[in-house]
Amino acid sequence: MTLLNDLRTRRRRLGVAAACTGLLAALLTTVPAAATPDPGDGPAVEQRVSQGARAEAAAAIAEGEIPGQDEIVHSDNIEHLVNIPKEALPGTNSDLAFQGKYAFSGNYDGFRIFDISKPKSPKTVAQVLCPGSQNDISVSGDLLFLSTDSSRSDSSCNSTTQPVTEKSSWEGMKVFDISDKANPKYVAAVETACGSHTHTLVPERKNVYVYVSSYSPNAAYPDCQPPHDGISVIKVPRKTPEKAAIVSFPVLFPGEGPDGGGNPGSPTNPGVSKTTGCHDITVLPSKDLAAGACMGDGILFSIKDPEHPRVIDQVQDNVNFAFWHSATFNQKANKVVFTDELGGGGAATCNAATGPDKGADGIYDIVGKGDKRKLVFRGYYKIPRHQADTENCVAHNGSLIPVKGKDIMVQAWYQGGVSVWDFTDSSKPKEIAYFERGPLDTQVMKTGGAWSAYYYNGYIYSNDIAKGFDVLKLNDRRTDPAKRIHLPELNVQTQPDYFD
């Protein structure tokens, strides 16, 4: 295990490598306009990089300027406690959720439950085979929720792939009873328009509302017709989850004509995804607020009436954002961090050719009050370590680290690893810690790296697409106060009031 603290040489050499190859320029020109957000949505495609790029990467590794293949490096204030490789579920690892002493790990083949009562030695409690990408995962009480955004033959866990053009195909939300963590039981399924790419819980005492994000309608898809432009709202009674059903479909981007009212994308806005729905939503129930990352748009909306969310403000960045992917509020609810998943998570965008503003986080202050609140752009954040041209790298899922008076979060960057950064000054964000592995391969582009990285009860947990489940410990006076905060449950997209 190696510590790398001097980033200057890494920037210099990989900047040269990126500039000498046309691969990145081609990827960034062709991918974002019709982005396939989140790796694994389509067939995995390995792309061989140029001979020059391979030679530059080999030289950089030999001189210690970037990590070697699969080599682990980190800042000196992070410990890598353990990695738990995949076992029964070989598919793409996706999101994470937490409850008490358990961590719930999504995987395109199903989900896995870990006992994390001893973070240095997590134990597998259950592995449930239930294929259906992305298997985005959340928990609330005795219920576990799983998103299916791939066309299946039926709603069962024995389903097989089936063309989306067939009316009988199924996509949507699955609900499990996890009162016995060792034996989860499948109790309900709700089909939703265009499937469920991700979902967000708005929990209440008697019911759990589920906001289902989906997109990319097509006139040839019977269950995913344009313009779409909205979210499905599911109501799940806690005592009778088998009665789960859609209660509304709020259109967030109203507009006339077949294309609706969101960002028109290319060719009007070259390189920007057309808005046909939302990719992900984060709710802040304590403030009745939500932030939506919706392809070509970022939105702020009220969830005071959870069945009928209402848009307050809508913003676009047609210069540097290709695909609005996810959102995170700060604790005071006066900022939102939006991520841009440039290249759909499958491109090498953390290098000099791409620059510091594309494929980054966008930091927005929330100014004003009530329905007059506005999202105001303040700055970008991107990891300060250039990656090899064979490493898919872009901003992805993260969470707050609860420190009073500070805005600090931990975030996954695929093969860029895990970054801890401070955005207390919205216009001058800075990294304070990091963890990463060297490239999966130095000859071809392979998809891997950290899908999500979340802070929960004193530790950072990361789900690596290819390598498995990682546990990290952060030792830094700036973040140490967060160790006093213990939550009974955490779904990052249902953001808690950490200090209530």
Side-chain angles (χ1 to χ4, degrees), residues 322-334:
F323 189 93
W324 296 65
H325 176 276
S326 52
T328 302
F329 286 100
N330 69 337
Q331 174 62 27
K332 291 182 179 180
N334 61 6

Side-chain angles (χ1 to χ4, degrees), residues 202 283-289 303 330-333 494-500:
V202 184
V283 298
L284 194 58
S286 63
K287 304 292 186 182
D288 290 331
L289 275 180
I303 58 167
N330 69 337
Q331 174 62 27
K332 291 182 179 180
T494 305
Q495 210 167 302
D497 183 340
Y498 288 95
F499 303 110
D500 184 1

Side-chain angles (χ1 to χ4, degrees), residues 225-394:
Q225 293 287 297
H228 195 59
D229 272 349
I231 59 173
S232 298
V233 179
I234 299 172
K235 183 178 181 180
V236 186
R238 290 188 184 276
K239 292 185 177 180
T240 54
E242 66 277 4
K243 295 181 180 179
I246 295 173
V247 292
S248 69
F249 186 87
V251 175
L252 302 177
F253 302 97
E256 296 181 0
D259 294 330
N263 196 318
S266 296
T268 303
N269 296 315
V272 178
S273 292
K274 175 183 174 181
T275 298
T276 58
C278 290
H279 179 277
D280 212 340
I281 292 169
T282 293
V283 298
L284 194 58
S286 63
K287 304 292 186 182
D288 290 331
L289 275 180
C294 303
M295 306 183 71
D297 295 85
I299 59 174
L300 183 71
F301 54 102
S302 167
I303 58 167
K304 193 170 184 178
D305 178 353
E307 290 191 17
H308 303 94
R310 180 172 49 81
V311 174
I312 297 172
D313 194 27
Q314 175 181 351
V315 292
Q316 297 177 358
D317 179 346
N318 294 317
V319 175
N320 287 312
F321 262 46
F323 189 93
W324 296 65
H325 176 276
S326 52
T328 302
F329 286 100
N330 69 337
Q331 174 62 27
K332 291 182 179 180
N334 61 6
K335 298 178 186 179
V336 182
V337 174
F338 288 103
T339 68
D340 173 25
E341 194 181 44
L342 175 65
T349 69
C350 296
N351 52 23
T354 309
D357 297 338
K358 293 180 182 292
D361 295 310
I363 305 162
Y364 286 75
D365 285 355
I366 302 174
V367 300
K369 295 182 179 180
D371 287 352
K372 294 184 178 180
R373 283 173 286 191
K374 297 291 183 182
L375 292 164
V376 179
F377 174 76
R378 297 300 189 202
Y380 295 108
Y381 171 74
K382 194 170 184 180
I383 57 172
R385 297 173 310 287
H386 288 150
Q387 307 295 306
D389 281 351
T390 57
E391 293 182 280
N392 61 303
C393 176
V394 74

Side-chain angles (χ1 to χ4, degrees), residues 8 36 39 53 59 71 98 129 156 209 300 333 373 419 443-444 468:
R8 289 172 295 179
T36 305
E71 180 186 4
F98 305 90
L129 180 65
S156 76
Y209 288 98
L300 183 71
R373 283 173 286 191
S419 177
Q443 301 296 307
V444 298

Side-chain angles (χ1 to χ4, degrees), residues 22-36 47 266 271 342-343 347:
L23 174 67
L24 241 305
L27 282 171
L28 298 181
T29 300
T30 60
V31 174
T36 305
Q47 286 188 291
S266 296
L342 175 65

